[in-house]
């Protein structure tokens, strides 16, 4: 370590890789472990983040492909239900639509606040003809994929760095144990023990 102007020691980059008669082999091993951990963290973060983004977008694309919109008629006026997290109100009403087999089906659907009985709206159905929420748009799918990909990347990279730091800490503890053993063996030859 080199003293800095502020009284604290400033690290010398790459000191573990430099030749030095006092450098122990464990310093070099620790340097390679930390370098490998950083490289693996970047590779894992990029790989996991990209894979998660792709998986989310594919899942949402499959949802959109499975769902289709049909016209429906409101049987009753829109009624306010529980407010949403963003403070806006949520309105629902019983709607009626014609199923693929020609029969009439009814269900509770989210509608605009101004919707009145007899007005027309569109509802989404899955492949089995069940009423389902609107699928996310392509933009919403992209945003959700990116957000989840970033979180997954941070988690994967962080996990690899934690493992690398754990191995580094283990090497440090082992090195300190070796120093203690060496000091216990050599210290008495100096005629007195310190500490």
């Amino acid at each position: 370590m080199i003293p800095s102007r502020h009284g604290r020691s400033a690290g010398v980059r790459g000191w573990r890789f430099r030749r030095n008669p006092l450098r122990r082999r464990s310093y070099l091993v620790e340097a390679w472990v930390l370098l490998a951990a950083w490289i693996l963290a970047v590779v894992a973060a990029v790989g996991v983040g990209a894979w998660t983004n792709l998986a989310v977008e594919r899942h949402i694309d499959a949802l959109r492909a499975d769902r289709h919109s049909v016209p429906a008629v409101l049987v009753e006026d829109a009624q306010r239900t529980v407010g949403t997290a963003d403070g806006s109100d949520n309105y629902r009403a019983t709607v009626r639509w014609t199923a693929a087999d020609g029969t009439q089906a009814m269900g509770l659907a989210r509608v605009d606040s101004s919707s009145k009985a007899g007005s027309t709206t569109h509802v989404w159905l899955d492949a089995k003809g069940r009423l389902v929420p609107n699928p996310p748009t392509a933009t919403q799918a992209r945003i959700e994929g990116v957000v989840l990909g970033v979180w997954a990347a941070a988690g994967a990279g962080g996990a690899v760095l934690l493992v690398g730091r754990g191995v580094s800490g283990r090497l440090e503890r082992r090195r300190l144990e070796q120093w203690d053993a060496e000091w216990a063996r050599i210290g008495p030859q100096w005629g007195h023990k310190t500490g």
Side-chain angles (χ1 to χ4, degrees):
M1 296 286 180
I2 299 171
S4 71
R5 289 182 286 168
H6 306 294
R8 289 177 276 165
S9 44
V12 177
R13 291 180 191 250
W15 67 269
R16 287 181 177 98
F17 288 109
R18 293 185 182 160
R19 292 200 179 275
N20 183 329
L22 299 177
R23 182 188 75 190
R24 292 175 179 256
R25 194 174 118 207
S26 64
Y27 286 127
L28 188 59
V29 170
E30 184 179 3
W32 282 109
V33 164
L34 291 175
L35 181 63
W38 277 100
I39 291 170
L40 285 174
V42 169
V43 169
V46 170
V48 169
W51 181 83
T52 301
N53 180 21
L54 185 63
V56 168
E57 286 190 26
R58 281 185 179 169
H59 173 70
I60 292 175
D61 286 345
L63 276 180
R64 275 201 310 268
D66 182 52
R67 297 177 181 185
H68 61 282
S69 175
V70 296
V73 177
L74 275 74
V75 176
E76 62 184 3
D77 292 345
Q79 297 175 4
R80 183 178 176 274
T81 59
V82 179
T84 59
D86 64 359
S88 61
D89 289 330
N90 199 359
Y91 289 86
R92 296 192 183 271
T94 303
V95 294
R96 181 180 60 242
W97 68 93
T98 303
D101 61 3
T103 61
Q104 292 292 311
M106 291 179 68
L108 192 63
R110 179 182 268 175
V111 295
D112 291 332
S113 60
S114 60
S115 299
K116 300 290 181 198
S119 63
T120 304
T121 188
H122 279 80
V123 294
W124 288 86
L125 305 175
D126 64 9
K128 295 180 181 178
R130 295 178 297 206
L131 199 59
V132 292
N134 299 359
T137 64
T139 303
Q140 290 170 330
R142 197 170 304 112
I143 290 170
E144 187 174 339
V146 167
V147 168
L148 291 175
V150 167
W151 278 105
V160 171
L161 288 177
L162 280 175
V163 169
R165 186 62 196 125
V167 171
S168 173
R170 176 83 175 151
L171 290 170
E172 177 72 20
R173 282 190 301 279
R174 186 170 174 223
R175 186 169 43 247
L176 289 175
E177 290 168 359
Q178 288 172 347
W179 281 358
D180 285 343
E182 289 173 9
W183 183 253
R185 191 175 27 130
I186 294 179
Q189 294 175 6
W190 290 1
H192 67 282
K193 284 191 175 185
T194 59

